[in-house]
Amino acid sequence: MLTDFPLNPILPAQDGDRVRAFYRDVLGLELLSGPADPMLFRAGADTTIALTELPERVPPSYPVISFRVRDIEEVVRGLQERGVVFEPLAAGAFAGKEGVDRGVITDWGPVRSAFLKDSEGNVLALNEFL
């Protein structure tokens, strides 16, 4: 039933101005909404990410959204140039294969991933499927 509709994850933010600047200026996403809350950003393939100020919410310690990327090394390098700090998560199993950390990129064989936190502590993943 829902296969024809794009996803729109909604993430909590403690500080609207700070998170707006991060998603717009650091990640380079287009802000679709005005300056009022909630904020809506355009991502790839007709998807969007909404952020709303919820100061009482604590982000989970696992990725809440994932960007499917090509050439993960290039994407990581570009984001590092914009000040993003990547934090490798503990390598665990993915599809039955143990992960191997290669710098900030974890290689699980069929997928390579890198993890970062946004300005509000939400964990974001970059995944390149091979």
Side-chain angles (χ1 to χ4, degrees):
M1 169 109 193
L2 297 177
T3 60
D4 294 332
F5 304 101
L7 291 175
N8 177 45
I10 302 168
L11 304 180
Q14 286 73 42
D15 184 305
D17 291 335
R18 181 176 61 200
V19 77
R20 184 179 295 105
F22 182 85
Y23 279 81
R24 182 190 59 218
D25 303 336
V26 177
L27 297 185
L29 299 180
E30 178 187 1
L31 179 62
L32 298 176
S33 59
D37 186 46
M39 290 158 269
L40 187 64
F41 293 89
R42 181 189 323 273
D46 198 30
T47 59
T48 55
I49 300 168
L51 289 115
T52 187
E53 281 191 85
L54 297 167
E56 70 283 356
R57 295 272 173 101
V58 176
S61 60
Y62 51 85
V64 291
I65 61 171
S66 168
F67 292 89
R68 292 183 309 192
V69 301
R70 293 179 303 280
D71 194 1
I72 194 167
E73 290 89 355
E74 178 69 25
V75 174
V76 165
R77 202 169 20 260
L79 288 171
Q80 286 173 323
E81 290 171 0
R82 292 174 171 233
V84 170
V85 175
F86 287 87
E87 304 176 7
L89 296 182
F94 176 83
K97 182 161 177 56
E98 287 298 315
V100 176
D101 286 337
R102 302 189 190 288
V104 298
I105 297 171
T106 303
D107 186 343
W108 280 289
V111 64
R112 296 184 307 156
S113 303
F115 305 95
L116 64 129
K117 288 184 180 175
D118 70 10
S119 61
E120 309 309 293
N122 294 301
V123 180
L124 312 179
L126 306 179
N127 289 315
E128 180 178 33
F129 291 88
L130 306 172

